[in-house]
Amino acid sequence: MTIETPPPNSTVADILIEALPYIRKFSGMTVVVKYGGHAMVDEQLKIDFARDITLLKFIGLNPVVVHGGGPQINRVLDQMGIQPQFVRGMRLTDGPTMDVVEMVLGGKVNKGIVAQINQQGGRAVGLSGKDGGLIEARKMHIVHQADAASPPEIIDPGMVGEVTRVNPQIIHTLSEKGFIPIIAPVGAGREGETYNINADLVASHIAMALSAGRLMLLTDVDGVMDAKGQLISSIDAAAIRSMIADGSISGGMIPKIECALAAIESGVEKVPILNGTRRHAILLELFTDRGIGTEVTE
Ligand SMILES: Nc1ncnc2c1ncn2[C@@H]1O[C@H](COP(=O)(O)OP(=O)(O)OP(=O)(O)O)[C@@H](O)[C@H]1O
Ligand SMILES: [Mg+2]
């Protein structure tokens, strides 16, 4: 067992004072936090995350959480003997997979986050994109090019959706009354059909609809890495395009970085990609001078 020595009182006061200009500047700001399923690693981290979000609300920001749940979905699919398949970071979603996605995201993962935040004294409310007509979606088609020599092919990913419209009234209503919305990335189509939507995509559309000041993308790596595995502290549109083309950005990082860029281009002030498996990543990014992770710029 390690026993941590508490910092001297003057250090504690210094830390609080260092945060004051930020707290003043951010008062009333909406912060959309994408909480990746890959960042939900252990109990202590989940408690830390819940504390961070609760603290933001109490000091006058408006946090809105959109969560993923990739590993949690895979565990249940595995128990059912279904092999998960991905193209360009998107989960191919047939009927049985869609049922699992909706049950796991809207049920276990969403209510788990809600309970953790409420445990910390926050007032969280769980929603899926279906509630209050929050997220309207339509079927997505994925354009996939295996390599530069082969022609692009159009892949039908099943019940994978893209966002056509966000109706943010339900979020405004909850936030104004002191609640913290926790959103599962499932949307409804025009005929009432259910779509599985990449959580980064949902988070960026919600950030844009709310004119959020920050979209924070919490994942399981320190940020975007270059081909040598070095952390890139700032990345722009041109670099993103070439890194996707040469394969040094792949898998789940493709939709994440594309969403980050879309949010920046439509006016979200700052979009950091952070390692959510590091304790209090959100607080350190917002309230200290030390920028962490990768910042996406135009
Ligand atoms: N250049 C890159 N830099 C960093 N990560 C990369 C890069 N290229 C691909 N990746 C992968 O992207 C992953 C992050 O996306 P992923 O979709 O797996 O997680 P998430 O979005 O945080 O969680 P979830 O999808 O469950 O919400 C990293 O774990 C890493 O394996
Ligand atoms: Mg992902």
Side-chain angles (χ1 to χ4, degrees), residues 70-84 91 96-97 100 103-104 108:
Q72 295 79 356
I73 293 166
N74 289 349
R75 270 200 290 278
V76 178
L77 288 175
D78 186 52
Q79 286 162 9
M80 296 172 67
I82 301 174
Q83 184 67 35
R91 180 187 297 280
T97 303
V100 172
M103 284 190 277
V104 173
K108 188 105 177 94

Side-chain angles (χ1 to χ4, degrees), residues 101-153:
V101 167
E102 190 168 27
M103 284 190 277
V104 173
L105 291 181
K108 188 105 177 94
V109 176
N110 187 276
K111 299 312 162 197
I113 300 167
V114 167
Q116 295 269 17
I117 292 177
N118 290 348
Q119 195 71 33
Q120 298 304 323
R123 290 193 295 155
V125 175
L127 305 167
S128 91
K130 290 182 177 176
D131 292 279
L134 177 59
I135 297 160
E136 294 176 19
R138 70 169 170 229
K139 187 182 174 75
M140 176 187 269
H141 288 94
I142 300 172
V143 181
H144 179 65
Q145 191 167 13
D147 52 64
S150 30
E153 49 175 330

Side-chain angles (χ1 to χ4, degrees), residues 158-237:
M159 322 284 286
V160 175
E162 59 188 9
V163 178
T164 50
R165 200 175 131 109
V166 175
N167 300 302
Q169 294 87 336
I170 182 74
I171 298 181
H172 291 307
T173 305
L174 291 171
S175 290
E176 280 162 18
K177 298 282 184 204
F179 294 100
I180 304 170
I182 312 296
I183 300 158
V186 170
R190 291 179 77 124
E191 311 299 326
E193 70 278 25
T194 304
Y195 286 110
N196 168 28
I197 312 174
N198 177 279
D200 299 309
L201 199 61
V202 170
S204 77
H205 277 274
I206 286 184
M208 295 188 266
L210 296 175
S211 302
R214 292 284 181 285
L215 167 61
M216 307 182 89
L217 299 167
L218 264 55
T219 182
D220 63 347
V221 285
D222 285 339
V224 181
M225 311 294 175
D226 65 19
K228 293 187 193 128
Q230 297 284 324
L231 178 68
I232 302 171
S233 59
S234 176
I235 188 167
D236 64 15

Side-chain angles (χ1 to χ4, degrees), residues 34 38 198 200 252 256:
K34 153 69 196 309
H38 289 87
N198 177 279
D200 299 309
K256 198 181 304 298

